[in-house]
Amino acid sequence: MKNLFKNGKLHYGISLSAIVFLLFFTSQCFAESSVEKDSKISSFQYVKKLNSVFDFVQQNYVDEIDPKILYEGALKGMLDAIGDPYTLYLDPNAMRDLTDTTAGSFGGVGLSISKAAESTQDKPAYVEVATPIEDTPGARAGIQSGDLIVAIDGMPTPDMTMNDVLAHLRGEIGSSVTVSILRGKNMKFDVTLVRALIEVPTIKAGMIEGTKTGYARLIQFTPDTPVRLQDAIDDFEKQGYTSLIIDLRDNPGGLITSVVDIADKFIDAGPIVSTKSRLLFENQQFTASASNTTVKKNIPVIVLINRGSASASEILSGALKDYHLAYLVGERTYGKGSVQQVIPLSNTDGFKITMARYYTPSDTNIDKIGIPPDYEIKNFETMTPEQEKIYMDMLNSNIITDTVDKNPGMSEADIKKEAEEISKKYEIDERIIRRLIRIQVQKAQPASLYDLDYDLQLNAALKIIRDGHFDELVKSTKTLRQLQDEVDEEKLNADKVAEKR
């Protein structure tokens, strides 16, 4: 439709084809709306509607429209409407980023993130940090699992799609990006990150000094992870290990085949994980074989978990828990119990879609629930509003950075001494201050294998091993199915009480 001024009067012009289309289209809509009352519109009819609107907009919109814009917009809207944060359209940039990540390296800041599809005033769709990838700009800057990115370079993230977020976080190596972080309820601060080549790591391992405990931190499940873990186990064997700690904290997951191969090193028979879908070919069960078991029997195995442990990490920890083969220490895991596939639409774009949900050996799905630890302990306790203010004042003062700049190459004794001085001005746990100083000191160095000074969860695991009651502890644990049944029963009883009232 066009507005035309002639002789000072407003006239309206519209093409005959547009009139015919409008009459046909509106009559069809009215006819179909009455039909909807009796039966659902078929998928074919919906596709016809979409085609009609696509053609009409392209031919009649006031400006010429690139059909690619309409195509991408329709796909984004359709997949976002599902409300699944793991089902989304992948434009050429996102598709390329995903390919780079799968290949093992990419340029960016090193944060594994998620984002809700829907944003509301009560619950804005901020970007949540699932895990910082070790030895990357994000991890070295001290960004933590559970932190919320509320803005990127000043742009609010609730207004951005996941593709927009990825496009802004990634970029030319050496360039910088500023993320606004919300930690807890009130701690908000900016962090400027310099983009780097992000190589997807897989495992770091070694013996805990002064013990017979082998320690393996699985950073991500890649095709190489099972081989690398077996190398570590072989090395532990040579050093006479008598206990094992598997650290899955901040591990965002990875390949299901990789985690199955690793679980098979512990489990000698029975299901490891199963996937269930309404599609028959997506229903699978991965089963353990005794010939693949390589971890020594009857030794204490402790798995460290936290809210950054997701997907494949939850498959491994869930399987070991259900078979009473490991004791879980730390915090409840993230709760991602679904399986995605990437479907290419061309050489440049595609979409990712949830195809199935996975279930642990006790037939439990932990999606949006997570796996609770057998022994809960946090490294970073929730702060009071007063403590949060002191903490933010300390960060904003740059006292940590200034201290390290004046004393490069600080020793542990130096770190302890400086933390004592800073704690006199800012009443914060010295352990946390030492941790912040240590991160700053090691900023340009590879991350250390472990930090016994700061890591309460790792210390708790070592204490459990030293106490010598591991067998009793692990046998007394409940499977995920038993825990879920208890929750369901409590809910049922609560509903019955509510009905009586």
Side-chain angles (χ1 to χ4, degrees), residues 208-244:
I208 300 288
E209 189 175 353
T211 74
K212 287 293 184 179
T213 299
Y215 172 79
R217 182 161 70 249
L218 306 188
I219 301 164
Q220 198 155 331
F221 291 93
T222 72
D224 295 332
T225 312
V227 175
R228 297 288 177 267
L229 179 59
Q230 189 57 54
D231 290 342
I233 292 170
D234 292 342
D235 186 56
F236 297 157
E237 189 76 51
K238 291 175 184 177
Q239 299 186 61
Y241 82 117
T242 56
S243 55
L244 179 63

Side-chain angles (χ1 to χ4, degrees), residues 50-310:
L50 286 172
N51 284 335
S52 297
V53 173
F54 185 98
D55 291 338
F56 183 78
V57 171
Q58 192 178 2
Q59 294 175 24
N60 294 281
Y61 183 68
V62 64
D63 297 317
E64 188 173 344
I65 295 289
D66 183 348
K68 181 182 177 183
I69 293 175
L70 299 179
Y71 160 78
E72 291 188 350
L75 285 178
K76 287 178 183 177
M78 177 170 59
L79 295 172
D80 286 349
I82 296 173
D84 176 5
Y86 309 111
T87 295
L88 67 159
Y89 172 66
L90 300 170
D91 63 19
N93 288 332
M95 194 73 170
R96 184 174 58 250
D97 288 341
L98 184 65
T99 302
D100 291 343
T101 303
T102 305
S105 64
F106 56 93
V109 296
L111 298 175
S112 178
I113 57 176
S114 66
K115 188 180 191 299
E118 184 179 354
S119 183
T120 65
Q121 188 172 359
D122 295 334
K123 194 173 182 180
Y126 294 133
V127 173
E128 182 176 356
V129 177
T131 55
I133 300 173
E134 191 167 316
D135 290 333
T136 65
R140 289 188 180 124
I143 294 177
Q144 302 175 1
S145 299
D147 283 349
L148 299 177
I149 301 176
V150 298
I152 302 173
D153 283 336
M155 294 176 287
T157 55
D159 302 333
M160 304 170 73
T161 66
M162 179 59 104
N163 289 340
D164 293 335
V165 171
L166 293 173
H168 283 86
L169 289 179
R170 295 184 176 183
E172 185 178 348
I173 293 172
S175 61
S176 62
V177 59
T178 299
V179 293
S180 300
I181 299 293
L182 175 63
R183 180 175 296 163
K185 294 182 178 179
N186 302 305
M187 292 186 285
K188 189 175 181 180
F189 51 93
D190 289 345
V191 179
T192 298
L193 304 171
V194 178
R195 298 181 180 94
L197 177 64
I198 307 299
E199 295 184 312
V200 180
T202 180
I203 180 175
K204 287 190 174 183
M207 298 291 288
I208 300 288
E209 189 175 353
T211 74
K212 287 293 184 179
T213 299
Y215 172 79
R217 182 161 70 249
L218 306 188
I219 301 164
Q220 198 155 331
F221 291 93
T222 72
D224 295 332
T225 312
V227 175
R228 297 288 177 267
L229 179 59
Q230 189 57 54
D231 290 342
I233 292 170
D234 292 342
D235 186 56
F236 297 157
E237 189 76 51
K238 291 175 184 177
Q239 299 186 61
Y241 82 117
T242 56
S243 55
L244 179 63
I245 294 175
I246 300 294
D247 192 344
L248 296 177
R249 292 173 297 178
D250 294 333
N251 183 323
L255 299 177
I256 191 169
T257 51
S258 175
V259 69
V260 165
D261 288 345
I262 288 173
D264 207 359
K265 298 179 186 299
F266 298 82
I267 303 166
D268 54 16
I272 294 171
V273 65
S274 58
T275 59
K276 297 181 183 181
S277 170
R278 65 191 181 99
L279 304 173
L280 186 61
F281 65 86
E282 286 293 332
N283 296 328
Q284 301 181 66
Q285 185 175 87
F286 298 88
T287 306
S289 171
S291 61
N292 297 324
T293 305
T294 59
V295 175
K296 289 170 64 174
K297 291 295 181 184
N298 302 319
I299 69 165
V301 177
I302 292 182
V303 175
L304 298 177
I305 54 174
N306 68 1
R307 64 187 300 175
S309 307

Side-chain angles (χ1 to χ4, degrees), residues 11 114 150 228 270 339 345 406 446 486:
H11 295 262
S114 66
V150 298
R228 297 288 177 267
V339 182
L345 292 170
K406 292 174 184 176
E486 288 179 358

Side-chain angles (χ1 to χ4, degrees), residues 392-405 426:
M392 287 307 304
D393 289 343
M394 181 180 70
L395 290 183
N396 292 331
S397 72
N398 290 322
I399 191 170
I400 302 292
T401 305
D402 293 343
T403 298
V404 176
D405 288 345
Y426 299 97

Side-chain angles (χ1 to χ4, degrees), residues 187-485:
M187 292 186 285
K188 189 175 181 180
F189 51 93
D190 289 345
V191 179
T192 298
L193 304 171
V194 178
R195 298 181 180 94
L197 177 64
I198 307 299
E199 295 184 312
V200 180
T202 180
I203 180 175
K204 287 190 174 183
M207 298 291 288
I208 300 288
E209 189 175 353
T211 74
K212 287 293 184 179
T213 299
Y215 172 79
R217 182 161 70 249
L218 306 188
I219 301 164
Q220 198 155 331
F221 291 93
T222 72
D224 295 332
T225 312
V227 175
R228 297 288 177 267
L229 179 59
Q230 189 57 54
D231 290 342
I233 292 170
D234 292 342
D235 186 56
F236 297 157
E237 189 76 51
K238 291 175 184 177
Q239 299 186 61
Y241 82 117
T242 56
S243 55
L244 179 63
I245 294 175
I246 300 294
D247 192 344
L248 296 177
R249 292 173 297 178
D250 294 333
N251 183 323
L255 299 177
I256 191 169
T257 51
S258 175
V259 69
V260 165
D261 288 345
I262 288 173
D264 207 359
K265 298 179 186 299
F266 298 82
I267 303 166
D268 54 16
I272 294 171
V273 65
S274 58
T275 59
K276 297 181 183 181
S277 170
R278 65 191 181 99
L279 304 173
L280 186 61
F281 65 86
E282 286 293 332
N283 296 328
Q284 301 181 66
Q285 185 175 87
F286 298 88
T287 306
S289 171
S291 61
N292 297 324
T293 305
T294 59
V295 175
K296 289 170 64 174
K297 291 295 181 184
N298 302 319
I299 69 165
V301 177
I302 292 182
V303 175
L304 298 177
I305 54 174
N306 68 1
R307 64 187 300 175
S309 307
S311 192
S313 295
E314 294 170 299
I315 290 176
L316 180 58
S317 52
L320 297 182
K321 177 174 176 58
D322 277 351
Y323 283 111
H324 302 282
L325 292 174
Y327 194 72
L328 309 189
V329 172
E331 303 166 68
R332 184 181 288 270
T333 60
Y334 185 80
K336 182 181 181 294
S338 56
V339 182
Q340 285 72 41
Q341 285 192 21
V342 175
I343 311 296
L345 292 170
S346 68
N347 291 330
T348 57
D349 73 337
F351 64 98
K352 186 168 67 169
I353 183 169
T354 298
M355 299 287 284
R357 292 186 175 88
Y358 71 74
Y359 289 74
T360 70
S362 65
D363 199 33
T364 306
N365 177 257
I366 51 81
D367 198 44
K368 300 178 183 177
I369 299 172
I371 297 174
D374 299 312
Y375 177 67
E376 184 174 21
I377 181 170
K378 297 180 180 180
N379 273 334
F380 195 81
E381 293 293 338
T382 303
M383 293 184 176
T384 65
E386 292 77 14
Q387 289 172 324
E388 286 183 347
K389 185 179 184 307
I390 295 171
Y391 184 85
M392 287 307 304
D393 289 343
M394 181 180 70
L395 290 183
N396 292 331
S397 72
N398 290 322
I399 191 170
I400 302 292
T401 305
D402 293 343
T403 298
V404 176
D405 288 345
K406 292 174 184 176
N407 304 281
M410 295 170 68
S411 66
E412 279 299 317
D414 296 330
I415 291 173
K416 184 175 184 297
K417 180 181 176 182
E418 293 297 337
E420 288 174 355
E421 289 300 314
I422 293 173
S423 67
K424 292 175 183 177
K425 185 174 182 181
Y426 299 97
E427 294 182 8
I428 298 290
D429 186 346
E430 284 185 33
R431 179 182 65 93
I432 294 173
I433 299 175
R434 289 195 299 270
R435 173 67 171 173
L436 293 173
I437 296 174
R438 197 174 293 115
I439 288 173
Q440 193 67 26
V441 169
Q442 298 175 349
K443 208 166 186 179
Q445 307 168 8
S448 57
L449 181 59
Y450 52 81
D451 184 351
L452 287 178
D453 175 55
Y454 172 78
D455 199 336
L456 298 180
Q457 294 166 342
L458 178 55
N459 277 292
L462 290 170
K463 184 177 185 303
I464 290 169
I465 292 169
R466 285 195 305 269
D467 287 348
H469 302 297
F470 179 82
D471 287 344
E472 298 170 29
L473 278 175
V474 78
K475 287 176 182 176
S476 68
T477 61
K478 297 177 180 178
T479 67
L480 291 173
R481 170 51 57 193
Q482 289 172 323
L483 292 174
Q484 188 59 52
D485 288 343

